[in-house]
Amino acid sequence: MKWNILYRGPLSSCNYECSYCPFAKTKNTRAELLDDEQKLLKFEAWVNAQQQHNIGILFTPWGEGLIRKHYQQVMTRLSHQPMVDKVAIQTNLSSTLDWMREVNTDAFALWTTFHPTQISLSAYLDRCEKLNSMGINYSVGMVGLKEDFELIQEMRDRLAPHVYLWVNAYKREEGYYTEEDLNFLNKIDPHFHFNAVRHPSYGEACRAGYSSFSIDGDGAVTRCHFIKNKLGNIYETPLEEMVKRTPCSNDTCGCYIGYINMDKLGLDNVYQGKILERIAI
């Protein structure tokens, strides 16, 4: 059985201060960081025991994980485990990068996001070039704010051609984009249209809860980040016993890590094994 697991521990601190983010420039205490590390190590041990499965893991911390050594070390080790075919993380790419020379580049990948108010485009691209030199698979993303359109175009022009640039639609204002805006963003990201809408999902077939799961630091399992009904706990019950095909119970789904599991969208064909790191083929 192939499982895709989205893991989110209690880490909530970030070294960036983006205006829209509730975790900007927050700090966890030493005790909180130790708790997060211990829970991450326990999750790693659980993964290592799943010898009969094929597992993809995406870390989706509320804060920035890669500035913490325990995330660097756990991801490096997991990338070499035979049952792990992918280990990826959402990151602002602000951490040191040299430690990635030790990862298994066949399994390790990054979902990176450029935050224009926190780092210059040139500095970010320098970091991308270093990833290229190390053979790290990664995607780059930006929020499709109108005031950043010129920067989005510059990112596409200067980013290595083989690197996928995705754009997250700004959905807080209805009718935010004109037809001209949508044409521009679809040229930058050919798959932007999937993100630009909230997909009707109630009663739709979805792999969340069947081959894709969200797991928190205590081991609690939910079908996805957006449906909080607890299916069980990986430290108490084998995950195999929680697996169940059920239709979506939410009215709509508008976030990438949710709608990628909707059968009707067929996104496995778009991402072809690189869905966790958000790299379109």
Side-chain angles (χ1 to χ4, degrees):
M1 182 78 180
K2 169 64 188 298
W3 291 333
N4 280 337
I5 294 172
L6 279 61
Y7 175 87
R8 178 175 287 165
L11 180 76
S12 62
S13 57
C14 186
N15 56 330
Y16 276 10
E17 48 187 2
C18 303
S19 60
Y20 57 82
C21 180
F23 302 99
K25 278 293 185 182
T26 59
K27 290 186 177 180
N28 286 122
T29 65
R30 291 184 65 181
E32 289 170 338
L33 289 173
L34 180 59
D35 178 55
D36 182 72
E37 180 178 4
Q38 291 174 336
K39 288 175 177 176
L40 182 61
L41 292 173
K42 186 175 182 179
F43 173 71
E44 179 190 14
W46 177 84
V47 172
N48 291 342
Q50 309 306 306
Q51 298 289 332
Q52 71 276 34
H53 296 289
N54 187 11
I55 299 176
I57 302 162
L58 173 63
F59 292 105
T60 62
W62 285 122
E64 174 55 41
L66 289 189
I67 59 174
R68 306 296 176 188
K69 284 193 179 298
H70 55 282
Y71 279 90
Q72 297 175 12
Q73 293 166 350
V74 166
M75 289 190 70
T76 299
R77 291 193 296 265
L78 285 174
S79 75
H80 292 279
Q81 288 293 340
M83 81 290 296
V84 176
D85 73 352
K86 186 64 55 62
V87 56
I89 191 169
Q90 295 175 326
T91 176
N92 61 28
L93 203 59
S94 62
S95 76
T96 60
L97 302 179
D98 285 338
W99 63 271
M100 296 182 194
R101 298 185 189 281
E102 304 300 321
V103 305
N104 171 16
T105 56
D106 290 334
F108 181 89
L110 300 173
W111 162 330
T112 80
T113 305
F114 173 58
H115 300 280
T117 63
Q118 306 301 304
I119 184 173
S120 71
L121 179 59
S122 292
Y124 191 89
L125 288 168
D126 285 345
R127 304 183 74 75
C128 291
E129 279 303 310
K130 188 163 186 178
L131 295 179
N132 294 338
S133 71
M134 293 189 290
I136 302 295
N137 289 308
Y138 68 100
S139 64
V140 171
M142 298 177 66
V143 177
L145 295 171
K146 292 186 179 185
E147 59 264 33
D148 289 335
F149 276 16
E150 288 187 9
L151 201 55
I152 291 171
Q153 183 65 65
E154 186 178 2
M155 171 69 87
R156 182 61 279 170
D157 292 342
R158 296 176 60 184
L159 191 64
H162 74 277
V163 177
Y164 175 53
L165 174 61
W166 49 266
V167 180
N168 266 353
Y170 185 74
K171 302 191 188 84
R172 295 184 185 181
E173 294 180 27
E174 188 173 349
Y176 179 72
Y177 295 116
T178 66
E179 196 67 31
E180 184 179 358
D181 294 335
L182 293 172
N183 289 337
F184 166 73
L185 292 171
N186 278 303
K187 287 179 181 177
I188 295 292
D189 175 5
H191 308 294
F192 174 76
H193 61 283
F194 287 115
N195 192 262
V197 299
R198 294 195 62 84
H199 300 276
S201 58
Y202 183 79
E204 293 287 349
C206 182
R207 294 186 302 278
Y210 176 69
S211 62
S212 177
F213 307 88
S214 293
I215 297 177
D216 70 14
D218 294 319
V221 181
T222 55
R223 60 181 297 171
C224 73
H225 281 344
F226 313 104
I227 298 176
K228 296 303 183 182
N229 294 337
K230 186 176 174 181
L231 304 180
N233 189 295
I234 57 171
Y235 305 129
E236 299 170 359
T237 306
L239 188 54
E240 296 93 329
E241 296 181 14
M242 306 177 210
V243 169
K244 187 178 181 182
R245 268 273 195 184
T246 53
C248 183
S249 58
N250 282 354
D251 290 334
T252 62
C253 186
C255 184
Y256 175 84
I257 56 177
Y259 65 70
I260 55 173
N261 294 302
M262 293 179 65
D263 287 359
K264 70 177 182 180
L265 298 182
L267 291 180
D268 280 344
N269 295 324
V270 173
Y271 293 90
Q272 295 187 16
K274 296 185 176 182
I275 203 163
L276 291 179
E277 61 269 46
R278 202 171 179 173
I279 298 178
I281 304 301

